[in-house]
């Protein structure tokens, strides 16, 4: 079912995902097909969440951003362009990728995590670590900026072309166009298992997940709460999410499976079909096939107060115009 492989660059990676989506849709797995076609349209920071609404606006909710006279900030999410394709969130900074491939940053800029490099070409993907930022150019090159105390911005000089990136506080992760997972930053604690081939990755502060071409989940890092104990009967998976003390997977049937120690009753997930799943540290966020945003976690967590009536884009939006 998952035997479609990448091409040489992210264009090939996306094309392979589209082919696999077509296969899954033909077999009746519509939510899974939507998940493969969907850009990242929801993200969570430490205390705030944001989403790309159906009309291209960025909507945010949660606790007001922490600010003091010594913490520089760059614009607010509601000041982002209205042609946003994808988003990601760090601790208190946010990255938006527009349809024409521009990177726009907002929020906390205390360690220059919002200082998008001058001359950065049209890019194809972005990812936010807690206090640093990553982008992929059309050639598959990774560009990094922001906090670098652990070397998380020191992109390996021999890194081959990359299809996807992810980041946490002290590490950066790259999924190469050949399916290898490369990690750099604070030592070797989260190095990927040898010989791993992957089509998707997700990371938390202490563990990481990957989806193999066969739809199997591989987990590594800390197992303090059983977050690496992948259920043996797990159906093939199209996406994963790594929380603070739990792991989550979106199966080909559109179901969400959680293991480890989630801070919410697992039975709340029963019966829900999803096309995206995002771990927010403690809460877990999902997008339904209709574009509704659902989140589980502590009721006092301000990220759990999703704006009433919010609908996010769940239809294929195509590649950024600048990269055709």
């Amino acid at each position: 079912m998952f035997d479609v492989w990448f091409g040489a660059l992210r264009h090939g990676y996306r094309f392979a995902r589209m082919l696999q989506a077509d296969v899954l849709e033909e077999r009746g797995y519509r939510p899974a097909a939507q998940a493969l076609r969907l850009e990242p349209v929801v993200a969570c920071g430490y205390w705030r969440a944001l989403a790309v609404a159906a009309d291209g606006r960025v909507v945010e909710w949660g606790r007001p951003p922490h600010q003091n006279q010594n913490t520089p900030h760059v614009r607010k999410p509601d000041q982002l362009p209205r042609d946003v394709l994808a988003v990601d969130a760090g601790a208190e900074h946010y990255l938006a990728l527009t349809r024409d491939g521009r990177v726009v940053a907002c929020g906390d800029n205390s360690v220059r995590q919002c200082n998008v490099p001058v001359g950065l070409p049209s890019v194809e993907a972005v990812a936010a670590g807690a206090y640093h930022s990553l982008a992929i150019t059309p050639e598959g090159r990774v560009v990094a900026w922001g906090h670098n105390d652990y070397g998380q911005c020191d992109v390996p000089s021999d890194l081959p072309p990359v299809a996807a990136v992810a980041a946490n506080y002290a590490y950066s992760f790259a999924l190469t166009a050949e399916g290898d997972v490369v990690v750099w930053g604070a030592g070797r604690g989260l190095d990927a298992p040898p010989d791993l081939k992957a089509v998707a990755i997700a990371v938390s502060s202490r563990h990481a997940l990957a989806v193999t071409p066969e739809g199997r989940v591989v987990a590594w890092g800390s197992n303090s709460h059983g977050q690496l104990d992948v259920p043996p009967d797990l159906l093939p998976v199209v996406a994963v999410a790594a929380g603070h003390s739990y792991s989550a997977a979106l199966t080909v049937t559109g179901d969400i499976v959680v293991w480890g120690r989630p801070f919410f009753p697992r039975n709340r997930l029963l019966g829900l079909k999803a096309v995206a799943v995002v771990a927010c540290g403690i809460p877990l966020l999902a997008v339904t096939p209709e574009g509704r945003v659902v989140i589980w976690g502590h009721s006092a967590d301000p990220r759990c107060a999703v704006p009433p009536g919010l609908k996010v884009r769940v239809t294929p939006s195509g590649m950024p115009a600048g990269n055709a």
Side-chain angles (χ1 to χ4, degrees):
M1 182 178 292
F2 283 77
D3 54 356
V4 178
W5 197 240
F6 309 131
L9 293 176
R10 184 168 167 81
H11 286 291
Y13 170 75
R14 286 189 175 186
F15 182 64
R17 286 171 66 93
M18 297 304 104
L19 287 178
Q20 191 60 59
D22 291 343
V23 171
L24 291 173
E25 189 143 42
E26 288 175 2
R27 297 180 182 183
Y29 297 122
R30 183 172 176 269
Q34 281 183 269
L36 287 173
R37 295 185 178 119
L38 191 62
E39 295 287 345
V41 293
V42 288
C44 286
Y46 279 7
W47 293 105
R48 298 186 68 71
L50 67 161
V52 182
D55 61 2
R57 292 178 301 116
V58 174
V59 178
E60 63 168 336
W61 65 95
R63 191 185 74 178
H66 171 74
Q67 293 194 41
N68 60 54
Q69 60 182 0
N70 298 318
T71 303
H73 278 66
V74 177
R75 70 179 64 84
K76 298 178 180 179
D78 60 7
Q79 297 172 318
L80 291 171
R82 294 181 65 94
D83 60 344
V84 172
L85 182 71
V87 290
D88 201 13
E92 291 196 35
H93 82 287
Y94 312 97
L95 301 176
L97 177 62
T98 67
R99 289 179 182 272
D100 61 359
R102 290 181 299 120
V103 179
V104 184
C106 66
D108 174 23
N109 196 33
S110 56
V111 285
R112 301 177 297 282
Q113 62 268 52
C114 290
N115 286 2
V116 179
V118 176
L120 182 68
S122 175
V123 307
E124 300 212 347
V126 293
Y131 295 98
H132 73 290
S133 305
L134 304 173
I136 304 175
T137 71
E139 300 77 29
R141 182 172 59 92
V142 175
V143 180
W145 63 96
H147 185 237
N148 195 35
D149 281 6
Y150 300 96
Q152 61 268 53
C153 290
D154 296 335
V155 181
S157 59
D158 59 349
L159 184 67
V162 164
V165 283
N168 58 21
Y169 181 82
Y171 291 90
S172 296
F173 295 71
L175 176 61
T176 74
E178 296 302 322
D180 298 307
V181 179
V182 181
V183 184
W184 63 94
R188 308 189 64 86
L190 282 178
D191 279 3
D195 303 320
L196 171 67
K197 291 292 184 180
V199 296
I201 53 175
V203 303
S204 78
S205 59
R206 300 180 64 194
H207 77 290
L209 305 171
V211 180
T212 71
E214 301 78 30
R216 183 171 57 89
V217 176
V218 177
W220 67 96
S222 170
N223 197 34
S224 56
H225 299 288
Q227 58 266 52
L228 305 188
D229 298 334
V230 182
D233 57 348
L234 186 64
L235 290 174
V237 163
V238 294
V240 283
H244 175 70
S245 58
Y246 67 87
S247 299
L250 179 62
T251 72
V252 291
T253 57
D255 297 301
I256 300 172
V257 179
V258 176
W259 61 95
R261 185 189 173 194
F263 290 83
F264 48 85
R266 301 183 203 204
N267 60 8
R268 292 186 182 178
L269 308 177
L270 297 177
L272 180 82
K273 297 296 182 182
V275 297
V277 59
V278 175
C280 304
I282 291 176
L284 177 68
L285 184 152
V287 176
T288 71
E290 302 76 32
R292 186 166 58 94
V293 176
V294 183
I295 190 164
W296 303 270
H298 291 309
S299 59
D301 190 318
R303 294 171 297 180
C304 292
V306 179
L310 174 64
K311 289 290 186 72
V312 301
R313 185 184 59 241
V314 291
T315 55
S317 53
M319 298 180 66
N323 301 330

